[in-house]
Amino acid sequence: PNAGHLKIVLKPRSQRDATATEVIARLAGASKAVGGVNVIFRPVQEVQIATRTSRAPYQYTLSGTNGADVARVAEQLVKRLANDPKLVDVGTDLQNGGLKALVDVDRALAGRLGVSMAQVSDALNDAFGQRQISTIYAQANQYRVVLEASPLYNRDPSALDRVWVPSSSGTQVQLSTIAKIVRTTAPLSVARQDQFPAVTVSYNLALGAALSDAIASIEAAVRDVGLPHTISGTYSGEAAEFTRALDGQPWLILAAIVCIYLVLGVLYESAIHPLTILTTLPSAGIGAVLALYVTGLDLSVVALIGVILLMGIVKKNAILMIDFALDAERDRGLSPRAAILEACRLRFRPIMMTTLAALLGALPLAVESGVGSELRNPLGITIIGGLLVSQLLTLYTTPVIYLTLERLRARLAGEPSDVDLPRHPVSAARPAAAMAGTAGSAPAVSAAAKE
């Protein structure tokens, strides 16, 4: 009853220049002049992760065994976070402004008058609640008899002075005779998490702040406040999903790299040359991060998806060169230097064609400004930045790394480590055999046909 919700529908994106974030910033500045009202604006999201209603999209929940301690720590944490420039709209779902009437019964006096606590509880339940006292059985139906006082007598706490309690002797004792009514405040609602009292601290990000910065600020504030051993804090909603994604992201990238290494190792029958291909991945990640930094975007989950896509797109440059160089070494007996140089010359055009196709395909994602472009822009910018940087670097670094690892492989195998020497030279007996085959070609053909 003390909160109201207003939904504002914006014009289509093609009919306005401002984004939803900019519109919210203008409305928030205008609403500050309204006194006595705390106005919070939130953009509507298609996918809502948080299941608990709060004032802001990001949440941090405190829970413990004692509700008063949880409320006290939550208030201290809110005061500490309200001064952080990275956070805005900091608040809690705790509302302690509700009125409470505490009936403090003098048990000794009540016992002398023959009034038990069960009789006091029944009298209060009859006056301010409802309870079933009987069941009427008819031929076809059953009717439950519910006892309650008339609404005229329980509209305000002053009705407690008119409550009478029956004693064991059959007389009526006024409640105010054996009890003292203490009026105080209480929470309007009590939230629970895992059956324990909980308070949710909600917050939003300031303009230009990232969620990782906000999480670091919350961790610092929690350390400064000092949570008791009986209180624990956990992230909720989008913040919880972000922390879980960050915790599992390094393992996901490591698993992808290991899978790529195993597949390439089986393909090339080598444990060295897959490392040459994997060395192209750091340049793609650096290019993606630089592109996001130049455009002022965050390294979000969508941007991380773009980085994983780059792992499959960028390594094809090295695959095209390494595959050609290995075939030239094994089939034609070229030296590693001659093989990789020829691979660079002959595979330059396919590499450029595939790179430009992927880059131009991601260009609409990076430059579009329609509805939902905020979600797709980081993906396109990540792919374009990673492709540009990796294309400039891998064409020069891949041959150098290939020759370096080839020297290492030759040294470990006990072969000559000079990359100018053929690894599989053509034997001297091969030309003689070829000449003999040419001189006796007709018998050889007839013998083959006869066979």
Side-chain angles (χ1 to χ4, degrees):
N2 64 341
H5 300 275
L6 178 66
K7 293 184 179 180
I8 303 175
V9 181
L10 300 179
K11 293 182 178 179
R13 188 65 178 87
S14 58
Q15 301 180 12
R16 53 185 170 88
D17 298 331
T19 62
T21 305
E22 295 172 350
V23 173
I24 287 176
R26 292 206 306 262
L27 293 176
S31 63
K32 290 181 179 179
V34 181
V37 179
N38 187 11
V39 183
I40 296 175
F41 297 92
R42 290 185 58 184
V44 178
Q45 297 181 352
E46 296 292 340
V47 179
Q48 187 72 27
I49 299 177
T51 58
R52 181 175 298 173
T53 304
S54 62
R55 308 194 314 172
Y58 305 106
Q59 305 168 358
Y60 184 79
T61 303
L62 297 171
S63 61
T65 57
N66 192 332
D69 294 339
V70 174
R72 176 180 54 82
V73 174
E75 291 178 357
Q76 295 177 359
L77 186 60
V78 168
K79 292 180 181 178
R80 172 67 173 76
L81 295 177
N83 298 325
D84 196 308
K86 301 182 182 65
L87 305 178
V88 295
D89 300 336
V90 181
T92 65
D93 59 352
L94 183 65
Q95 299 183 25
N96 290 326
L99 298 179
K100 176 182 178 182
L102 178 63
V103 180
D104 187 7
V105 179
D106 188 349
R107 295 174 182 263
L109 179 58
R112 291 194 299 270
L113 296 178
V115 177
S116 65
M117 290 302 299
Q119 292 171 328
V120 174
S121 178
D122 291 341
L124 292 175
N125 193 8
D126 295 339
F128 298 96
Q130 296 177 349
R131 63 189 180 103
Q132 181 182 351
I133 60 174
S134 179
T135 303
I136 300 176
Y137 296 94
Q139 293 181 355
N141 297 319
Q142 298 178 6
Y143 302 94
R144 294 177 176 86
V145 180
V146 179
L147 176 65
E148 65 173 342
S150 175
L152 297 175
Y153 302 105
N154 58 9
R155 290 180 177 179
D156 55 76
S158 62
L160 290 170
D161 298 332
R162 298 189 295 270
V163 174
W164 294 77
V165 182
S167 64
S168 58
S169 60
T171 61
Q172 298 288 329
V173 179
Q174 193 173 7
L175 181 62
S176 59
T177 304
I178 61 175
K180 180 174 62 175
I181 310 301
V182 180
R183 289 176 172 83
T184 179
T185 59
L188 295 179
S189 62
V190 178
R192 295 185 180 274
Q193 179 171 294
D194 299 332
Q195 299 182 355
F196 291 102
V199 176
T200 299
V201 179
S202 58
Y203 58 94
N204 205 347
L205 303 179
L207 188 62
L211 184 55
S212 58
D213 299 333
I215 291 177
S217 299
I218 291 177
E219 295 294 339
V222 169
R223 288 192 299 267
D224 294 341
V225 172
L227 295 183
H229 297 291
T230 57
I231 298 177
S232 62
T234 56
Y235 292 98
S236 305
E238 285 81 353
E241 293 297 329
F242 180 78
T243 54
R244 281 194 288 266
L246 289 183
D247 292 339
Q249 200 67 36
W251 296 105
L252 179 62
I253 296 177
L254 179 62
I257 293 175
V258 171
C259 291
I260 293 173
Y261 177 82
L262 293 177
V263 171
L264 294 177
V266 173
L267 178 64
Y268 296 128
E269 299 179 356
S270 173
I272 296 295
H273 292 301
L275 296 177
T276 306
I277 299 174
L278 292 178
T279 56
T280 60
L281 300 182
S283 61
I286 294 173
V289 173
L290 288 177
L292 293 175
Y293 178 77
V294 171
T295 55
L297 297 178
D298 299 330
L299 185 61
S300 58
V301 176
V302 178
L304 289 176
I305 295 175
V307 173
I308 297 176
L309 290 175
L310 282 174
M311 297 175 65
I313 298 175
V314 170
K315 64 184 179 61
K316 55 88 183 172
N317 294 348
I319 290 177
L320 290 175
M321 291 188 288
I322 301 303
D323 185 70
F324 185 89
L326 289 178
D327 289 341
E329 286 188 45
R330 296 171 180 175
D331 297 340
R332 293 187 288 155
L334 296 181
S335 65
R337 185 184 298 275
I340 193 63
L341 290 178
E342 185 176 354
C344 292
R345 289 193 300 268
L346 297 181
R347 294 299 185 183
F348 177 76
R349 183 179 297 176
I351 289 174
M352 292 300 299
M353 291 173 61
T354 54
T355 301
L356 289 177
L359 192 147
L360 295 177
L363 189 60
L365 298 176
V367 300
E368 68 169 334
S369 58
V371 178
S373 60
E374 297 84 358
L375 183 64
R376 295 184 289 268
N377 287 152
L379 181 62
I381 291 174
T382 300
I383 295 176
I384 292 176
L387 288 176
L388 289 176
V389 175
S390 64
Q391 187 68 32
L392 294 176
L393 295 180
T394 55
L395 291 178
Y396 297 97
T397 58
T398 302
V400 176
I401 297 174
Y402 176 82
L403 296 178
T404 302
L405 294 180
E406 187 66 25
R407 290 191 184 95
L408 177 62
R409 185 200 63 80
R411 187 177 296 108
L412 294 176
E415 300 176 1
S417 59
D418 191 357
V419 294
D420 293 327
L421 295 177
R423 292 289 174 256
H424 304 281
V426 180
S427 61
R430 187 175 299 175
M435 293 176 60
T438 303
S441 58
V445 171
S446 61
K450 181 179 180 181
E451 186 178 8

